[in-house]
């Protein structure tokens, strides 16, 4: 009787073969179960908005020199009416640490409350910590609706 | 290998590792033609571990609440990569675990493993079986689909039939008069916090008892082996039987993966309290024998409601089942047989009623 602890001498190649087969099979099983789990842990990309264009507001909703936040897909955007009555739209996510920005009528530009970041009406970062400008969108008035869409890359 | 030994020595110096392992090294498993039945408890434990792991994974995306639960399960099954597989494995493993737990219980009955000194092992095991059914019942509601909704309505209504304590118990379970989002929140709490805590504690007690008491040998064989000690055959638990057990787990994992991949679990239709129950609605198979029995009892027996009688009878049987080892007196041949008879009858009754219930209108 051979107990499992004993080594056969001389070692048989057949035994080695079985070991490799068993070990390989076991390893393959582990991979087959670990791979789906790892994939499962990665959250799926949230569905972005269907089109690249949304209605951000209506004319008459905004007084000159004011702004409002609107939904651009699942992200906030900011729609601004300048003192001269022009509409501007840009991403409302501060490029510093992702707080949502707001329009300051006293400064007449965009401001982030979290770390005192400032942007001008073209989204350019002009003061404070923000490293990059805000993404500027196209705002168009059609009828009494203000459409906002992403700029096409040229 | 020597590095591994170093780690072990390091741990041993600080932890007394060897002392902890020692009982496992001494432990043996009797070898005879019925030894295969010894695997069932281990497989049930393995499936429980699978449930804990897949359950934790499902928690990453699942949201309890009447407005979100169904959608979040749908999200898991359609958007999350391999989400359908994880959910499918959780559902299949639950069903297999209930099956192996029942099979384990009946094998213990027929091999007479519940006898002195293992009465408490039996008691902890039966309570574990009840907990497992509680897991099944509470987990079934969580996807918030039509079948789950009505199953919970009926199940909690049956609880409400119990005299005196029934109604308050039903309201406690439902979190109000009706099955609503409040019920879902409660069942979620039972399913992921209360029951796992209780089950884990009881499993530890159960395993500790098995360790202390050793593995039982069927009575006939025990008599033989005591008369003739040279006929006794056994295997070391660690690592020999352990390796066999792991092979059994490997097979179980294979079966589980196959079932989950080939027959993914359905989600059904979202629950709506203002929609009629679908025709042919039935509980899960492990509740079917009770369901069918309750259907067969006439509405009035003497002066008691049939339903109430049925519920009380099941409660009484559950209690007797729990205390079974204490009902067998020590040494008369008459009482030796009746428990086997009761076990055979119970098995036949459950199997028969389940099949009948499956095919009945």
């Amino acid at each position: 009787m051979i107990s499992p602890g004993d080594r056969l001498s001389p070692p048989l190649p057949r035994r080695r073969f079985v070991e490799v087969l068993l070990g390989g099979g076991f390893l393959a099983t582990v991979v087959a179960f670990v791979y789906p789990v790892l994939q499962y842990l990665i959250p799926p990309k949230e569905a972005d908005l269907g089109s690249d264009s949304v209605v951000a507001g209506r004319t008459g909703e905004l007084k000159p020199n004011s702004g409002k936040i609107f939904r651009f897909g699942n992200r906030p955007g900011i729609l601004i009416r300048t003192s001269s009555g022009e509409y501007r739209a840009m991403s409302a996510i501060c490029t510093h640490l992702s707080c949502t920005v707001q329009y300051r009528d006293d400064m007449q530009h965009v401001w982030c409350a979290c770390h005192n970041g400032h942007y001008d009406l073209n989204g350019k970062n002009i003061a404070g910590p923000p490293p990059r400008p805000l993404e500027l969108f196209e705002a168009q008035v059609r009828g009494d609706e203000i459409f906002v869409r992403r700029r096409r890359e040229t | 290998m020597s590095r591994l030994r170093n780690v072990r020595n390091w741990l041993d110096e600080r932890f007394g590792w060897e002392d902890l392992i020692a009982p496992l090294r001494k432990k043996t498993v009797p070898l005879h033609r019925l030894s295969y039945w010894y695997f069932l408890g281990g497989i049930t434990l393995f499936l429980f571990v699978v449930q804990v792991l897949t359950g934790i994974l499902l928690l990453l995306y699942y949201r309890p609440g009447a407005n979100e639960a169904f959608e979040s399960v749908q999200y898991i099954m359609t958007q999350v990569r391999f989400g359908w597989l994880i959910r499918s494995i959780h559902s299949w493993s639950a069903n297999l675990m209930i099956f192996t737990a029942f099979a384990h219980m009946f094998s213990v009955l027929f091999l007479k493993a519940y006898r002195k000194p293992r009465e408490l092992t039996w008691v902890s095991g039966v309570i574990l079986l009840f907990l497992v059914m509680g897991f099944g019942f509470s987990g079934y509601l969580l996807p918030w689909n039509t079948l789950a909704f009505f199953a919970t309505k009926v199940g909690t209504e049956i609880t409400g039939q119990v005299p005196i304590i029934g109604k308050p118990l039903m309201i406690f379970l439902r979190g109000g008069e009706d099955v609503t989002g409040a019920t879902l929140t409660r069942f979620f709490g039972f399913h992921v916090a209360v029951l796992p805590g209780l089950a884990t504690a009881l499993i530890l007690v159960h395993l500790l008892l098995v360790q202390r008491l050793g593995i039982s040998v069927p009575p006939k064989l025990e008599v033989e082996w005591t008369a003739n000690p040279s006929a006794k055959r056994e295997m070391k638990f660690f690592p020999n039987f352990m390796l066999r057990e792991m092979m059994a787990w490997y097979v179980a994992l294979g079966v589980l993966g196959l079932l989950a991949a080939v027959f993914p679990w359905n989600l059904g239709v979202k629950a709506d309290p203002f929609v009629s129950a679908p025709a042919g609605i039935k509980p899960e198979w492990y509740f079917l024998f009770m369901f069918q029995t309750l259907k067969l009892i006439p509405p009035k027996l003497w002066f008691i409601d049939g339903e109430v009688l049925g519920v009380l009878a099941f409660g009484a049987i559950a209690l007797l089942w729990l205390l079974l080892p204490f009902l067998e007196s020590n040494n008369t041949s008459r009482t030796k047989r009746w428990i086997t008879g009761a076990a055979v009858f119970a098995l036949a009754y459950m199997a028969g009623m389940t099949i009948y219930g499956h095919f009945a209108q």
Side-chain angles (χ1 to χ4, degrees), chain B residues 273-304:
Chain B
F274 299 100
V275 161
S276 313
I281 187 168
K282 270 168 202 160
E284 286 289 85
W285 60 270
Y286 42 89
F287 290 123
L288 206 52
F289 74 97
M290 288 191 257
F291 172 81
Q292 193 60 26
T293 309
L294 291 178
K295 266 192 1 189
L296 291 176
I297 300 177
K300 274 275 187 218
L301 276 168
W302 301 307
F303 50 92
I304 318 173

Side-chain angles (χ1 to χ4, degrees), chain B residues 30-292:
Chain B
L31 277 188
H32 48 84
R33 66 189 178 85
L34 294 170
S35 285
Y36 283 104
W37 293 101
Y38 293 147
F39 286 111
L40 279 169
I43 292 176
T44 310
L45 179 65
F46 171 72
L47 292 171
F48 179 77
V49 172
V50 169
Q51 286 308 85
V52 171
L53 296 179
T54 51
I56 290 170
L57 287 175
L58 289 173
L59 276 178
L60 298 183
Y61 297 105
Y62 176 75
R63 295 180 203 169
N67 297 322
E68 301 184 300
F70 183 86
E71 284 78 2
S72 70
V73 177
Q74 204 167 39
Y75 178 78
I76 289 172
M77 292 180 67
T78 57
Q79 304 294 316
V80 184
R81 265 160 294 183
F82 294 105
W84 62 273
L85 184 65
I86 303 288
R87 173 170 184 253
S88 219
I89 286 187
H90 196 73
S91 307
W92 272 111
S93 174
N95 281 274
L96 291 183
M97 181 171 82
I98 288 175
F99 183 81
T100 56
F102 268 109
H104 179 47
M105 180 190 75
F106 277 109
S107 74
V108 163
L109 263 183
F110 289 126
L111 297 179
K112 308 273 179 205
Y114 57 86
R115 283 183 175 167
K116 189 185 169 188
R118 299 187 178 82
E119 298 97 325
L120 290 177
T121 321
W122 169 267
V123 171
S124 62
V126 172
I127 297 175
L128 271 171
L129 186 77
F130 295 157
L131 287 182
V132 161
M133 291 171 89
F135 267 114
F137 185 61
S138 58
Y140 197 60
L141 178 65
L142 301 186
W144 199 246
N145 57 28
T146 310
L147 286 177
F149 179 77
F150 285 110
T152 306
K153 246 183 135 73
V154 172
T156 46
E157 197 71 44
I158 287 173
T159 316
Q161 301 287 328
V162 181
I164 306 163
I165 57 161
K167 196 73 197 292
L169 200 62
M170 185 189 84
I171 288 176
F172 166 73
L173 284 176
R174 287 183 174 178
E177 287 282 343
D178 289 307
V179 175
T180 58
T183 319
L184 182 59
T185 315
R186 260 162 206 252
F187 273 41
F188 178 68
F190 297 149
H191 192 76
V192 307
V194 179
L195 290 173
L198 289 175
T200 306
L202 260 180
I203 287 172
L204 288 178
V205 169
H206 198 68
L207 290 178
L208 195 72
L209 285 168
V210 174
Q211 287 310 312
R212 285 297 287 177
L213 302 173
I215 290 173
S216 119
V217 178
K220 234 185 230 167
L221 212 61
E222 191 155 40
V223 173
E224 252 175 60
W225 285 3
T226 342
N228 179 14
S230 64
K232 193 172 171 180
R233 294 188 57 217
E234 53 189 13
M235 181 189 259
K236 281 171 100 175
F237 176 77
F238 189 83
N240 303 33
F241 191 79
M242 183 89 180
L243 280 172
R244 287 194 179 193
E245 191 140 67
M246 276 158 77
M247 264 157 63
W249 293 359
Y250 192 60
V251 171
L253 188 67
V255 170
L256 192 57
L258 186 79
L259 286 171
V262 179
F263 306 105
W265 212 263
N266 275 334
L267 178 54
V269 181
K270 187 175 176 175
D272 181 348
F274 299 100
V275 161
S276 313
I281 187 168
K282 270 168 202 160
E284 286 289 85
W285 60 270
Y286 42 89
F287 290 123
L288 206 52
F289 74 97
M290 288 191 257
F291 172 81
Q292 193 60 26

Side-chain angles (χ1 to χ4, degrees), chain A residues 91 93-95 119-120 122-125 130-136:
Chain A
S91 155
I93 300 168
C94 182
T95 54
Y119 302 87
D120 71 11
N122 292 314
K124 192 172 180 301
N125 43 329
R132 283 182 309 278
L134 295 172
E135 189 189 351
L136 196 62

Side-chain angles (χ1 to χ4, degrees), chain A residues 52-64:
Chain A
D52 256 359
S53 169
V54 295
V55 176
R58 289 168 189 285
T59 54
E61 197 181 335
L62 279 178
K63 298 189 301 282

